[in-house]
Amino acid sequence: MSTNSNRKLLAEEAEALADAARINYFNIVIESGQGAVVKDIEGKQYIDLLSSASATNTGHAHPHVVRAIQEQAAKLIQYTPAYFANEPAAKLAQRLCALAPISGSKKLAWGNSGSDANDGIIKFARAYTKRPYLVSFMGAYHGSTYGSMSLSAVSLNMTRNIGPLLPGVIKVPYPDPWQRLKGESEDDFVTRMFAEFKRPFETFLPAEETALIIIEPIQGDGGIVKAPTAFVRKVAEFAHSHGILFAVDEVNQGLGRTGKWWSIQHFDIEPDLISVGKSLASGLPLSAVIGRAEIMDSLGAPAHLFTTSGNPVTTAAAMATLDVIEDEQLVQRSADLGKEAKEFFEAEQAKYDFIGQCRMYGLDGGIDIVDPQTQKPDPVATTKLIYRIFELGAIMISLKTNVLRFQPPLVITEKQLHQAFKIIAQAFSELDEGKLTLPHNADNIGW
């Protein structure tokens, strides 16, 4: 291939692709991937520290998943599950319900993305409770359909020029523990943030008219931030004491990403509903909303079905994905390798005053890059870092302008992980020495 292949194809694509359809980072065209490594169309390889936005926890082109896709595609690619069942989906429904962190009888409904799974949560919550209002958290990313976008609060471009959004959505502050006041204990922080959470209910939002509280227990695109356990428990208790359904979004953080099957398992809390997608079918378009059976039975068809959701190929891929997570013990692997990653980033943090807080939950990390003088976010240094890391052979992007997003496939080898550490350490060192410059397209990089 020509050395201009990436540039040429991207230029051709730009004539047809809407600006709203991609967040710009690096000018590459991905051709292939294997495990934790991807290759562009010019043949350059990169260690993947993004996992396709946490959608390929089992890595790229895992042989077991590929085989399942090929075998199913040779038999039946699609016949709409809106009318007729297929074997992989029927088996997967039982298996996924059994894995869901909800006790008692459970049911699910299929979708094509985490976005429509969160739309499903809205539908089922309103139908079951017969209440209109929905509560979500600032910093949340729940998706890009109108319902899930209405719940989200992470980017102005998700509201700019497209309102009005879904009515009845109230947003409350997320308890980012790195925003604690100076000298504030965690107990005092939880007390303060829970008071902020309750303020709408005390002033303008009737609890008895509220259907749903939905939370990412560990926010993904909000910066890989874990809420204090005591806070999440207080919110769940408040919800249940007022007949409000408590739902968790596991689209980004589920399926082993945090060193547990589900991120809510870090809190010892049981939700009423969960959404799952992304890595469910190793990145193929499949999602589900799973909930207590009586909630899921509150709607009749066709209130939440789609022509292609739960189709034979995607559900066969999901069955194989769950096999890989279980057989290769990827949940424990995430926890174990996450400890190594935490040690690495904390050691780098001790060297450089431009590294702020380091948050790591399994192979799931957010590393703040800050101005050494003010300790405020430093988007310029962050962009320099991710671009240099890319030049050195790894893919890492930023969140919230100044957070390094660390989410490699859970199958990453220790050799690959250590090579990634070397690349990141070199970029940190070069930034400290003043050697890094911004790419020419810096103004167009990132959220």
Side-chain angles (χ1 to χ4, degrees), residues 82-371:
Y83 296 121
F84 305 111
N86 65 76
E87 185 179 9
K91 290 182 176 179
L92 178 63
Q94 294 180 338
R95 188 173 181 183
L96 198 53
C97 281
L99 281 170
I102 305 169
S103 61
S105 181
K106 292 158 282 187
K107 292 187 177 181
L108 61 71
W110 299 120
N112 296 305
S113 72
S115 298
D116 63 47
N118 286 319
D119 278 11
I121 282 179
I122 294 171
K123 295 176 188 177
F124 286 107
R126 283 180 165 172
Y128 179 73
T129 63
K130 304 296 191 290
R131 300 174 178 185
Y133 293 112
L134 315 165
V135 175
S136 62
F137 287 82
M138 297 176 189
Y141 180 82
H142 293 296
S144 293
T145 52
Y146 254 92
S148 61
M149 186 177 287
S150 299
L151 295 174
S152 300
V154 73
S155 170
L156 286 172
N157 279 348
M158 294 178 72
T159 57
R160 184 178 279 124
N161 298 325
I162 56 176
L165 298 178
L166 192 70
V169 177
I170 309 300
K171 297 186 174 73
V172 294
Y174 187 84
D176 181 343
W178 313 112
Q179 300 301 318
R180 277 163 53 175
L181 301 176
K182 187 175 182 179
E184 186 176 40
S185 70
E186 179 163 321
D187 287 346
D188 287 343
F189 173 66
V190 168
T191 298
R192 177 168 63 87
M193 295 306 299
F194 188 60
E196 287 294 307
F197 164 80
K198 289 193 299 181
R199 185 177 297 183
F201 294 100
E202 296 167 347
T203 54
F204 65 89
L205 176 62
E208 70 274 13
E209 295 181 26
T210 302
L212 173 73
I213 298 169
I214 183 169
I215 190 171
E216 294 171 277
I218 301 175
Q219 284 194 340
D221 291 294
I224 317 294
V225 179
K226 180 179 180 289
T229 297
F231 176 87
V232 180
R233 289 178 178 173
K234 283 178 178 287
V235 169
E237 289 167 4
F238 177 91
H240 292 147
S241 68
H242 290 88
I244 302 169
L245 297 183
F246 178 70
V248 296
D249 182 335
E250 293 281 355
V251 176
N252 187 307
Q253 300 290 300
L255 295 162
R257 170 55 57 190
T258 69
K260 302 274 189 183
W261 264 103
W262 311 103
S263 66
I264 193 62
Q265 290 174 324
H266 289 277
F267 300 81
D268 195 25
I269 299 171
E270 215 174 272
D272 299 299
L273 294 157
I274 71 167
S275 54
V276 59
K278 285 188 182 286
S279 280
L280 176 58
S282 289
L284 291 191
L286 179 67
S287 68
V289 50
I290 312 169
R292 291 192 285 113
E294 62 268 28
I295 300 171
M296 300 302 295
D297 284 337
S298 63
L299 286 173
H304 193 70
L305 57 79
F306 309 89
T307 300
T308 58
S309 63
N311 92 1
V313 174
T314 60
T315 51
M319 286 289 282
T321 297
L322 297 181
D323 289 344
V324 172
I325 294 173
E326 291 174 348
D327 294 346
E328 299 185 15
Q329 300 180 323
L330 295 188
V331 177
Q332 186 60 49
R333 181 175 180 77
S334 177
D336 292 342
L337 294 185
K339 292 176 183 175
E340 290 191 37
K342 182 178 176 65
E343 291 172 0
F344 164 74
F345 283 110
E346 287 181 346
E348 295 297 298
Q349 180 189 38
K351 297 178 189 175
Y352 305 114
D353 52 8
F354 58 77
I355 300 179
Q357 296 292 340
C358 297
R359 301 173 293 280
M360 196 69 58
Y361 321 104
L363 282 174
D364 183 48
I367 298 90
D368 297 343
I369 304 302
V370 299
D371 182 295

Side-chain angles (χ1 to χ4, degrees), residues 1-8 27 40-43:
M1 299 292 286
S2 162
T3 56
N4 294 320
S5 293
N6 283 323
R7 183 178 299 177
K8 180 176 182 294
N27 292 327
D40 70 12
I41 60 172
E42 295 174 9

Side-chain angles (χ1 to χ4, degrees), residues 68-84:
I69 293 169
Q70 291 172 331
E71 290 177 357
Q72 181 56 51
K75 292 192 294 184
L76 179 67
I77 292 176
Q78 163 68 352
Y79 202 102
T80 177
Y83 296 121
F84 305 111

